[in-house]
Amino acid sequence: LAKTTQPISMDSYEGQEVNITCSHNNIATNDYITWYQQFPSQGPRFIIQGYKTKVTNEVASLFIPADRKSSTLSLPRVSLSDTAVYYCLVGDGSSNTGKLIFGQGTTLQVKP
Amino acid sequence: DSGVTQTPKHLITATGQRVTLRCSPRSGDLSVYWYQQSLDQGLQFLIQYYNGEERAKGNILERFSAQQFPDLHSELNLSSLELGDSALYFCASSVGVAGGDPSSEQYFGPGTRLTVT
């Protein structure tokens, strides 16, 4: 079974860059890696998605090494409103059933 | 607002009972996903449907079942409920199929909070 590992929590200050890494040791070969943000009592919200190398959008960047066994979400210049839980989502490469696996989530606390 | 609706928002029921959770996907989305979120298990993928057909199955118990109807709305049926089934249940939808499809960005509904007493 594929396993994803993220740090449980991280602290940062406003204006800093935050990097959150997710390890996924058995990702499905053809699957994309997706990151979501979740606020309390709300559903997760899409941040960014990539297959390999680097992807950038208006809110984040995603770095994926060639072996695709990990991915790093980069949030530039965080603000207090970025305080949330961040999840990676990958396809399970061990079962080839289309099963999806969320990381356990990283709680980011941004301080003033 | 993601465009995905879920009803009811809250549900309180007793052990042994059966409940049905309903999800309406965003207009144009063909895939529907169901997830369970509890404090000790995190976000767990339950099942996915694509255009009415079961596409992928995750950690869904045999007491749980789901279906996607011709109008693309979906229902998750939970039966013989146990205390441990208390959780937030999320539905999500996407245009394509999550994983190998770049149009697989999922939009999540607000969730149904199920409390089993």
Side-chain angles (χ1 to χ4, degrees):
Chain A
L1 183 68
K3 182 176 170 62
T4 57
T5 304
Q6 301 177 232
I8 297 297
S9 63
M10 296 181 72
D11 288 342
S12 183
Y13 291 93
E14 282 191 291
Q16 289 190 330
E17 178 185 74
V18 171
N19 296 308
I20 305 173
T21 296
C22 176
S23 298
H24 24 79
N25 66 340
N26 197 356
I27 184 175
T29 303
N30 298 319
D31 277 11
Y32 282 71
I33 299 161
T34 314
W35 283 79
Y36 290 85
Q37 175 193 55
Q38 187 179 28
F39 296 109
S41 300
Q42 294 185 24
R45 188 174 70 174
F46 174 86
I47 302 173
I48 197 167
Q49 179 184 70
Y51 183 75
K52 60 182 177 181
T53 63
K54 178 183 175 182
V55 179
T56 298
N57 63 20
E58 61 276 11
V59 298
S61 294
L62 180 60
F63 300 91
I64 304 169
D67 65 7
R68 298 190 355 110
K69 291 187 175 183
S70 67
S71 58
T72 298
L73 172 71
S74 181
L75 304 172
R77 299 179 300 282
V78 294
S79 63
L80 295 176
S81 63
D82 293 318
T83 294
V85 182
Y86 293 82
Y87 295 92
C88 59
L89 175 65
V90 300
D92 182 359
S94 65
S95 63
N96 198 31
T97 60
K99 182 178 178 180
L100 302 173
I101 298 176
F102 267 104
Q104 68 265 52
T106 299
T107 299
L108 173 64
Q109 179 70 50
V110 180
K111 303 174 182 178
Chain B
D1 184 1
S2 67
V4 178
T5 61
Q6 290 187 247
T7 56
K9 284 191 174 181
H10 303 277
L11 198 48
I12 302 175
T13 189
T15 54
Q17 294 299 304
R18 172 189 169 94
V19 297
T20 297
L21 312 183
R22 183 188 168 100
C23 169
S24 292
R26 288 189 324 153
S27 176
D29 284 359
L30 299 179
S31 280
V32 169
Y33 312 77
W34 286 97
Y35 296 89
Q36 179 192 59
Q37 186 172 36
S38 59
L39 282 174
D40 57 343
Q41 293 289 324
L43 273 163
Q44 297 286 316
F45 169 69
L46 296 178
I47 198 164
Q48 179 203 353
Y49 283 83
Y50 178 77
N51 204 20
E53 300 289 327
E54 183 182 304
R55 171 69 174 72
K57 189 176 273 192
N59 302 323
I60 188 166
L61 300 173
E62 286 192 10
R63 300 184 284 110
F64 297 180
S65 65
Q67 54 183 324
Q68 186 180 29
F69 294 87
D71 66 354
L72 300 178
H73 91 272
S74 178
E75 292 181 356
L76 178 67
N77 300 296
L78 315 176
S79 61
S80 303
L81 285 168
E82 302 175 358
L83 295 177
D85 298 327
S86 295
L88 257 176
Y89 290 84
F90 287 108
C91 166
S93 72
S94 68
V95 172
V97 175
D101 187 335
S103 67
S104 59
E105 171 185 342
Q106 295 182 47
Y107 294 83
F108 283 75
T112 293
R113 183 171 294 279
L114 173 66
T115 302
V116 182
T117 62

PDB file of all heavy atoms in Angstrom, chain A residues 78-98:
ATOM      1  N   VAL A  78       3.889  34.049   3.042  1.00  0.00           N
ATOM      2  CA  VAL A  78       2.617  33.668   3.666  1.00  0.00           C
ATOM      3  C   VAL A  78       2.046  34.822   4.484  1.00  0.00           C
ATOM      4  O   VAL A  78       2.762  35.691   4.977  1.00  0.00           O
ATOM      5  CB  VAL A  78       2.771  32.419   4.546  1.00  0.00           C
ATOM      6  CG1 VAL A  78       3.122  31.203   3.688  1.00  0.00           C
ATOM      7  CG2 VAL A  78       3.796  32.634   5.650  1.00  0.00           C
ATOM      8  N   SER A  79       0.718  34.780   4.638  1.00  0.00           N
ATOM      9  CA  SER A  79       0.022  35.748   5.470  1.00  0.00           C
ATOM     10  C   SER A  79      -0.777  34.983   6.529  1.00  0.00           C
ATOM     11  O   SER A  79      -0.857  33.746   6.478  1.00  0.00           O
ATOM     12  CB  SER A  79      -0.925  36.611   4.625  1.00  0.00           C
ATOM     13  OG  SER A  79      -1.927  35.791   4.048  1.00  0.00           O
ATOM     14  N   LEU A  80      -1.366  35.713   7.446  1.00  0.00           N
ATOM     15  CA  LEU A  80      -2.125  35.083   8.521  1.00  0.00           C
ATOM     16  C   LEU A  80      -3.244  34.197   7.963  1.00  0.00           C
ATOM     17  O   LEU A  80      -3.584  33.160   8.537  1.00  0.00           O
ATOM     18  CB  LEU A  80      -2.719  36.133   9.454  1.00  0.00           C
ATOM     19  CG  LEU A  80      -1.717  36.971  10.240  1.00  0.00           C
ATOM     20  CD1 LEU A  80      -2.452  38.041  11.050  1.00  0.00           C
ATOM     21  CD2 LEU A  80      -0.879  36.097  11.160  1.00  0.00           C
ATOM     22  N   SER A  81      -3.804  34.592   6.840  1.00  0.00           N
ATOM     23  CA  SER A  81      -4.909  33.843   6.231  1.00  0.00           C
ATOM     24  C   SER A  81      -4.472  32.515   5.627  1.00  0.00           C
ATOM     25  O   SER A  81      -5.322  31.717   5.212  1.00  0.00           O
ATOM     26  CB  SER A  81      -5.594  34.696   5.162  1.00  0.00           C
ATOM     27  OG  SER A  81      -4.690  34.984   4.108  1.00  0.00           O
ATOM     28  N   ASP A  82      -3.181  32.268   5.576  1.00  0.00           N
ATOM     29  CA  ASP A  82      -2.682  30.977   5.081  1.00  0.00           C
ATOM     30  C   ASP A  82      -2.630  29.933   6.192  1.00  0.00           C
ATOM     31  O   ASP A  82      -2.270  28.778   5.931  1.00  0.00           O
ATOM     32  CB  ASP A  82      -1.280  31.145   4.472  1.00  0.00           C
ATOM     33  CG  ASP A  82      -1.305  31.973   3.197  1.00  0.00           C
ATOM     34  OD1 ASP A  82      -2.228  31.768   2.381  1.00  0.00           O
ATOM     35  OD2 ASP A  82      -0.404  32.833   3.021  1.00  0.00           O
ATOM     36  N   THR A  83      -2.968  30.317   7.404  1.00  0.00           N
ATOM     37  CA  THR A  83      -3.056  29.359   8.511  1.00  0.00           C
ATOM     38  C   THR A  83      -4.156  28.358   8.200  1.00  0.00           C
ATOM     39  O   THR A  83      -5.331  28.723   8.077  1.00  0.00           O
ATOM     40  CB  THR A  83      -3.346  30.080   9.838  1.00  0.00           C
ATOM     41  OG1 THR A  83      -2.224  30.901  10.174  1.00  0.00           O
ATOM     42  CG2 THR A  83      -3.598  29.066  10.952  1.00  0.00           C
ATOM     43  N   ALA A  84      -3.773  27.108   8.036  1.00  0.00           N
ATOM     44  CA  ALA A  84      -4.703  26.071   7.581  1.00  0.00           C
ATOM     45  C   ALA A  84      -3.978  24.730   7.646  1.00  0.00           C
ATOM     46  O   ALA A  84      -2.815  24.651   8.024  1.00  0.00           O
ATOM     47  CB  ALA A  84      -5.169  26.346   6.154  1.00  0.00           C
ATOM     48  N   VAL A  85      -4.691  23.684   7.246  1.00  0.00           N
ATOM     49  CA  VAL A  85      -4.088  22.361   7.106  1.00  0.00           C
ATOM     50  C   VAL A  85      -3.875  22.094   5.614  1.00  0.00           C
ATOM     51  O   VAL A  85      -4.770  22.351   4.804  1.00  0.00           O
ATOM     52  CB  VAL A  85      -4.972  21.262   7.722  1.00  0.00           C
ATOM     53  CG1 VAL A  85      -4.278  19.909   7.606  1.00  0.00           C
ATOM     54  CG2 VAL A  85      -5.277  21.578   9.184  1.00  0.00           C
ATOM     55  N   TYR A  86      -2.704  21.588   5.280  1.00  0.00           N
ATOM     56  CA  TYR A  86      -2.340  21.337   3.885  1.00  0.00           C
ATOM     57  C   TYR A  86      -2.143  19.838   3.668  1.00  0.00           C
ATOM     58  O   TYR A  86      -1.444  19.176   4.442  1.00  0.00           O
ATOM     59  CB  TYR A  86      -1.065  22.116   3.523  1.00  0.00           C
ATOM     60  CG  TYR A  86      -1.304  23.602   3.535  1.00  0.00           C
ATOM     61  CD1 TYR A  86      -1.267  24.319   4.733  1.00  0.00           C
ATOM     62  CD2 TYR A  86      -1.628  24.281   2.373  1.00  0.00           C
ATOM     63  CE1 TYR A  86      -1.531  25.675   4.760  1.00  0.00           C
ATOM     64  CE2 TYR A  86      -1.892  25.640   2.381  1.00  0.00           C
ATOM     65  CZ  TYR A  86      -1.838  26.330   3.577  1.00  0.00           C
ATOM     66  OH  TYR A  86      -2.111  27.678   3.596  1.00  0.00           O
ATOM     67  N   TYR A  87      -2.769  19.332   2.624  1.00  0.00           N
ATOM     68  CA  TYR A  87      -2.725  17.902   2.327  1.00  0.00           C
ATOM     69  C   TYR A  87      -2.173  17.644   0.935  1.00  0.00           C
ATOM     70  O   TYR A  87      -2.511  18.366  -0.015  1.00  0.00           O
ATOM     71  CB  TYR A  87      -4.137  17.298   2.356  1.00  0.00           C
ATOM     72  CG  TYR A  87      -4.839  17.310   3.677  1.00  0.00           C
ATOM     73  CD1 TYR A  87      -5.679  18.358   4.041  1.00  0.00           C
ATOM     74  CD2 TYR A  87      -4.705  16.250   4.565  1.00  0.00           C
ATOM     75  CE1 TYR A  87      -6.348  18.366   5.246  1.00  0.00           C
ATOM     76  CE2 TYR A  87      -5.378  16.238   5.779  1.00  0.00           C
ATOM     77  CZ  TYR A  87      -6.197  17.300   6.107  1.00  0.00           C
ATOM     78  OH  TYR A  87      -6.857  17.284   7.306  1.00  0.00           O
ATOM     79  N   CYS A  88      -1.391  16.578   0.813  1.00  0.00           N
ATOM     80  CA  CYS A  88      -1.042  16.085  -0.512  1.00  0.00           C
ATOM     81  C   CYS A  88      -1.976  14.918  -0.831  1.00  0.00           C
ATOM     82  O   CYS A  88      -2.464  14.235   0.069  1.00  0.00           O
ATOM     83  CB  CYS A  88       0.410  15.634  -0.578  1.00  0.00           C
ATOM     84  SG  CYS A  88       0.869  14.318   0.575  1.00  0.00           S
ATOM     85  N   LEU A  89      -2.230  14.718  -2.103  1.00  0.00           N
ATOM     86  CA  LEU A  89      -3.105  13.638  -2.559  1.00  0.00           C
ATOM     87  C   LEU A  89      -2.438  12.957  -3.740  1.00  0.00           C
ATOM     88  O   LEU A  89      -2.050  13.610  -4.705  1.00  0.00           O
ATOM     89  CB  LEU A  89      -4.468  14.190  -2.979  1.00  0.00           C
ATOM     90  CG  LEU A  89      -5.446  13.187  -3.595  1.00  0.00           C
ATOM     91  CD1 LEU A  89      -5.856  12.137  -2.578  1.00  0.00           C
ATOM     92  CD2 LEU A  89      -6.680  13.901  -4.142  1.00  0.00           C
ATOM     93  N   VAL A  90      -2.314  11.620  -3.642  1.00  0.00           N
ATOM     94  CA  VAL A  90      -1.686  10.868  -4.725  1.00  0.00           C
ATOM     95  C   VAL A  90      -2.499   9.616  -5.003  1.00  0.00           C
ATOM     96  O   VAL A  90      -3.350   9.222  -4.204  1.00  0.00           O
ATOM     97  CB  VAL A  90      -0.239  10.466  -4.357  1.00  0.00           C
ATOM     98  CG1 VAL A  90       0.606  11.698  -4.077  1.00  0.00           C
ATOM     99  CG2 VAL A  90      -0.203   9.507  -3.182  1.00  0.00           C
ATOM    100  N   GLY A  91      -2.221   9.006  -6.145  1.00  0.00           N
ATOM    101  CA  GLY A  91      -2.839   7.720  -6.461  1.00  0.00           C
ATOM    102  C   GLY A  91      -1.971   6.601  -5.920  1.00  0.00           C
ATOM    103  O   GLY A  91      -0.741   6.702  -5.903  1.00  0.00           O
ATOM    104  N   ASP A  92      -2.610   5.530  -5.480  1.00  0.00           N
ATOM    105  CA  ASP A  92      -1.903   4.400  -4.902  1.00  0.00           C
ATOM    106  C   ASP A  92      -1.299   3.550  -6.010  1.00  0.00           C
ATOM    107  O   ASP A  92      -2.029   2.896  -6.758  1.00  0.00           O
ATOM    108  CB  ASP A  92      -2.873   3.563  -4.062  1.00  0.00           C
ATOM    109  CG  ASP A  92      -2.186   2.393  -3.378  1.00  0.00           C
ATOM    110  OD1 ASP A  92      -0.966   2.210  -3.561  1.00  0.00           O
ATOM    111  OD2 ASP A  92      -2.877   1.656  -2.661  1.00  0.00           O
ATOM    112  N   GLY A  93       0.032   3.544  -6.094  1.00  0.00           N
ATOM    113  CA  GLY A  93       0.703   2.787  -7.136  1.00  0.00           C
ATOM    114  C   GLY A  93       0.810   1.312  -6.837  1.00  0.00           C
ATOM    115  O   GLY A  93       1.113   0.515  -7.718  1.00  0.00           O
ATOM    116  N   SER A  94       0.531   0.917  -5.595  1.00  0.00           N
ATOM    117  CA  SER A  94       0.695  -0.492  -5.247  1.00  0.00           C
ATOM    118  C   SER A  94      -0.502  -1.340  -5.658  1.00  0.00           C
ATOM    119  O   SER A  94      -0.398  -2.547  -5.798  1.00  0.00           O
ATOM    120  CB  SER A  94       0.922  -0.641  -3.744  1.00  0.00           C
ATOM    121  OG  SER A  94      -0.236  -0.236  -3.034  1.00  0.00           O
ATOM    122  N   SER A  95      -1.645  -0.711  -5.841  1.00  0.00           N
ATOM    123  CA  SER A  95      -2.844  -1.493  -6.097  1.00  0.00           C
ATOM    124  C   SER A  95      -3.370  -1.357  -7.515  1.00  0.00           C
ATOM    125  O   SER A  95      -4.125  -2.194  -7.977  1.00  0.00           O
ATOM    126  CB  SER A  95      -3.956  -1.078  -5.132  1.00  0.00           C
ATOM    127  OG  SER A  95      -4.312   0.284  -5.360  1.00  0.00           O
ATOM    128  N   ASN A  96      -3.004  -0.311  -8.204  1.00  0.00           N
ATOM    129  CA  ASN A  96      -3.459  -0.067  -9.579  1.00  0.00           C
ATOM    130  C   ASN A  96      -4.985  -0.104  -9.668  1.00  0.00           C
ATOM    131  O   ASN A  96      -5.550  -0.594 -10.651  1.00  0.00           O
ATOM    132  CB  ASN A  96      -2.852  -1.102 -10.531  1.00  0.00           C
ATOM    133  CG  ASN A  96      -2.932  -0.649 -11.980  1.00  0.00           C
ATOM    134  OD1 ASN A  96      -2.886   0.547 -12.266  1.00  0.00           O
ATOM    135  ND2 ASN A  96      -3.094  -1.590 -12.882  1.00  0.00           N
ATOM    136  N   THR A  97      -5.649   0.360  -8.621  1.00  0.00           N
ATOM    137  CA  THR A  97      -7.108   0.335  -8.588  1.00  0.00           C
ATOM    138  C   THR A  97      -7.718   1.718  -8.683  1.00  0.00           C
ATOM    139  O   THR A  97      -8.926   1.858  -8.637  1.00  0.00           O
ATOM    140  CB  THR A  97      -7.595  -0.311  -7.279  1.00  0.00           C
ATOM    141  OG1 THR A  97      -7.102   0.463  -6.182  1.00  0.00           O
ATOM    142  CG2 THR A  97      -7.159  -1.749  -7.167  1.00  0.00           C
ATOM    143  N   GLY A  98      -6.875   2.731  -8.800  1.00  0.00           N
ATOM    144  CA  GLY A  98      -7.393   4.086  -8.807  1.00  0.00           C
ATOM    145  C   GLY A  98      -7.632   4.635  -7.416  1.00  0.00           C
ATOM    146  O   GLY A  98      -8.182   5.723  -7.255  1.00  0.00           O
TER     147      GLY A  98
END
